[in-house]
Structures are given as C-alpha cells and as structure tokens.
Amino acid sequence: MDDQKESLRKIITTLALKNEEIQNFICCLKQNLENLEANSNRVQEDLESEFSSLHAVLDELKEGMVTRIKQERASRTYELQSQLSACTKALESSEELLELANQTLCSSENDSFTQAAKEIKDSVTMAPAFRLSLKAKASDSMNHMMVDFTQERKMLQAITFLPVPATPEINVAECQVFDNTITVVWTLPEPDSKIDHYILEYRKTNHEGSPRAREDYPWMVVEGIKETEYTLTGLRFDTRYMTFRVMACNKAVAGEFSELVTLETHAFVFKLDAGSAHQNLKVEDLSVEWDSSGGKVAVQDIRKEKNRTSSPMHSPARTAMMSPKRAPSARVGRDRFTAESYTVLGDAMIDAGQHYWEVRFDKESKVFAAGVALRSLGRFDQLGKSNASWCIHLNNWLQQSLTAKHNNKARTLDCPIPDRIGIYCNYEEGTLSFYNSRTKTLLHTFRTKFKQPVIPAFMVWNGSFSVQTGLQVPSIVLCGQKRNSNTSSSNASLT
C-alpha cells in the first residue's frame, strides 16, 4: 500500500510538472501572438516610412535638377538675346551706310563725290558690323542635361526585405574563464558584410544546461559589439555557472539568439559567520567594524535576562547569541569568540582544492589579522597564538609591525604594509600564501600539512575590514606558486 501511494505521488508530481510546463508554453504562445501583431504593425510602419523617405529624396533630387535646367536655359537665353540685339543694331547701321554709299555713287558732282566717298570709307571702317563675331556665344543644345536612370531603376526594382542575419555559433573551445574574466568567442556560418554589431546576453545560474522555468538571476545585456568576441571583466563568481547567448544585427533587423552555452565559473564563495563573531565586532555580510559598546550592551542584556528564566533554552548567553541581526552560528556546540579574541570566521570550510580571497582593512586599525583556522580554534584563542591558526598580523599599538604568526611564533615581514591582502590556500599541498593583492607581490608563505578542514579567519581591534569572495586564483599567483614550490619562501619555524 505504501509503495503504491509513493508511486502515485511520483505520478502526481510528474503530472504537476508537465502541467506547469504546458501552462508556461501556453503563456509563451499567447505572448508570441501579441508580439507578432505588434511587430507586424511596426515593420509595416517602418516600410512606409522608408518609402516616404525615398520619395522625399527623389522629389528633392528632381527639384534640384529642374532648377539647374532653368538656370542653364536663363543663362544661355541672356547670352543669345544680347548677341541678337547687338547684331540687329549693327545691321541697321550697316543698311543706312549702304544706302548712303549708293546715293553717293550716283552723284555727278566731282568735289562733293570725293568728300562723300572719303566719309563713307571712314564710316565703313568704324562700322559695328565689321566688329561683330558671327558665331553664337551659347549653344542651343541641352543634351548635357539629359539623365539615364536605367541603373538606378534596376536598383530600385531590386529593393527587397533586408535578410535576417544568420545565427551565430559560440565556440566553446575558444572561450576562456580566468582571473574573474570571461572571454566569449563566436562565429557566423557564412561571412556577412551587412552585419553592423552583435548583442551578447549573459546570466548567472547554479544549474548546468538549459535554463529553468524560474531563474534567480536576470539576463544582462552588452550591446554594440563590433568584433566576434567579447571579454567581461571585474566579475564576481558567486554562482557555479554563467550562461551566454549572442545574436547578430544589421542596420535594420536582429537575428536569432545562438544556442545557449554554459561556462563553469568555479570560485571560493563564503560569508562571515556572524554567530561566531566576538560581541565587539559588528558583522554585516562581508564587512566588519569594531564596536566598543558591543560587549557592554551584551552584558546588560544578559543581566536583564537572568531574572526571566533559568531554562537552558532561554539562557542569557544563548539569547544574546541568537540576536535577530546575526545568523545562527556554524560553530555547533560552541559559543562565540570572547575575551581578547576579537575574531570572526567564514561560513565555508576548505577541505580540498585551491582557493583565493581578498581582504581590505583599515591600515589605522590598532590590530588586524587574517588567515585560516581549524574548527578546533578555542573561543579564547587569538589568531596565530595557537597551533590551530595561521595568519598575517598587523600591529599598530605603540609601534607598527607586520608579522606572520602561527603557534605563538612570529616572523617580522620586511615589506610595505598594503591595504588589501590576497590569501591563497592549496589544501592538498598544505600551502597558505599572502599577497599584496594590488601588485600580487608575495608577502609570506606557510607550508604545512592540514590534518583537518580550515576556515577563513579574521581578527580586528579598533578598526574595520571587508572581504571579497567569489574570486578565482589569479593566474599570476598560480605561476608564482609553481616557481616558488622548491624555494625557501616558507618559514619552517612557523609551520
């Protein structure tokens, strides 16, 4: 009977999931219908706008060419009319002179004939008719204003809808994930000179493969990419994977998105365990600030609680530890750090692999320390003062110093004090290295054999710090580790 019920429950669960998938698909189909209507109207409006623009260009071109014809005709008309007027006046003057010459020729008086002939000769010499050019100053041909739109007509007749760009293909083999950057590379099935740009979208996810119906992270969009690759920088890998897709666009239309590609983004992610923190440490997610009144407030709360109940479940210490501003402690069966152990731990253990994180601290802090610790670190233990912790320790009390500490032994580090430290842990090799995170200069390396899982650990007194997680091991750190694997960068007396 129980097996049948369990089988029926599985069938019900399967049917419910299938129904949800069908409902989601129906919603997608309805949305597609709405989008189809809207997109059809949009492209029709765009087409009418393009043709209106084309008509406007043709009308403007026609108006300009007609104006040029009119100007050419007016200019030539002026030249020819001016020449015609001059020729008409010259002809009239010549005819008058010809008539006078004929009359003089018929004269019978010798004295008057000689004088008249001389005057006629002088008049002929100065006559306008003999200074005229009998060649037209302007041609009557307008052939140079003729047009031939045969080629343009063919081009206009060849106008059609702009082809949709082909779907790109992301080349997974050439994509790279390193130093908290991701380079995505893609290709087109065929070269397309009309591609104007690409659009890349990516989304964080904790699931490999196709996206779920409900994803926790939205798509992020990068537009205007001109090349067939793009590098995302400054990422924080707080999920296991990132999913990518890309599409090509020309001047008017975008193509389809490529097939989804999921790249693994492994990195060390943790938060600060507020339940482990000393009462004087104010913990908010990945930042800590010294609060000198924290302990006093806690003591006052404890005294108030003493008269309420003596039940272990409502003890003052437990009530203070379960403050709504603090997450439940991961230190099962242990109280928070106390006395002068102003310590807070991370909430993730390291029991394998290579990990890297960074911490930025106030250089004016009176005391600051960062490193790793075993789960067995006592609630009164200060970092570096027992065999359960390894750290770099900044002391600003009386005299400033930076030291590497383990098992209550210290080595002074002769280097400038950075404001940001990178911490690298290789669990299998027993390597714990500290770097100036800005220059990636090695500050110190512990070499030991971790017999138990370790946890990121921090300590601050009269100061503050913040932690950055979700970081890959920088490639320059990995290269340096390989070079220094056989050197004496570690301090045997501290391991």
Side-chain angles (χ1 to χ4, degrees), residues 2 147 295 356 369 399 409 429:
D2 292 338
V147 295
Y356 179 85
Q399 186 175 0
K409 296 179 181 179
E429 293 186 0

Side-chain angles (χ1 to χ4, degrees), residues 126-182:
M126 299 299 296
F130 292 95
R131 297 196 304 270
L132 287 175
S133 172
L134 300 182
K135 180 180 179 181
K137 291 184 177 180
S139 172
D140 60 350
S141 174
M142 293 291 287
N143 291 338
H144 66 292
M145 290 292 191
M146 298 295 292
V147 295
D148 180 9
F149 286 144
T150 302
Q151 183 176 355
E152 287 77 6
R153 190 176 291 108
K154 290 180 178 179
M155 292 175 60
L156 290 174
Q157 291 171 347
I159 290 178
T160 184
F161 293 106
L162 194 64
V164 177
T167 302
E169 299 175 1
I170 297 179
N171 191 336
V172 180
E174 295 188 17
C175 295
Q176 295 182 335
V177 182
F178 65 96
D179 289 345
N180 283 81
T181 68
I182 297 181

Side-chain angles (χ1 to χ4, degrees), residues 65-136:
M65 297 179 77
V66 168
T67 300
R68 287 182 58 190
I69 291 174
K70 291 180 178 179
Q71 290 174 345
E72 185 73 10
R73 182 178 62 187
S75 175
R76 294 192 179 194
T77 298
Y78 175 79
E79 292 290 342
L80 292 174
Q81 285 182 345
S82 297
Q83 193 174 18
L84 177 61
S85 176
C87 288
T88 300
K89 292 180 179 180
L91 180 60
E92 292 177 354
S93 176
S94 180
E95 287 178 347
E96 292 178 357
L97 187 59
L98 179 60
E99 183 179 356
L100 179 60
N102 287 330
Q103 292 176 357
T104 302
L105 186 62
C106 295
S107 174
S108 57
E109 296 180 358
N110 292 333
D111 294 338
S112 60
F113 175 81
T114 301
Q115 181 63 29
K118 184 177 181 302
E119 292 177 356
I120 292 172
K121 180 180 178 181
D122 293 339
S123 298
V124 169
T125 301
M126 299 299 296
F130 292 95
R131 297 196 304 270
L132 287 175
S133 172
L134 300 182
K135 180 180 179 181

Side-chain angles (χ1 to χ4, degrees), residues 359-416:
V359 55
R360 181 173 184 174
F361 58 94
D362 181 5
K363 294 173 67 174
E364 301 301 321
S365 301
K366 294 301 181 183
V367 178
F368 170 78
V372 299
L374 302 179
R375 294 295 299 174
S376 58
L377 183 68
R379 61 193 296 251
F380 296 97
D381 293 343
Q382 298 181 32
L383 291 186
K385 289 194 174 184
S386 72
N387 61 0
S389 60
W390 299 257
C391 72
I392 274 191
H393 186 275
L394 170 68
N395 188 355
N396 264 329
W397 185 248
L398 299 180
Q399 186 175 0
Q400 189 178 69
S401 64
L402 186 67
T403 57
K405 284 189 173 185
H406 170 64
N407 201 17
N408 207 25
K409 296 179 181 179
R411 163 171 283 190
T412 301
L413 304 181
D414 185 15
C415 62

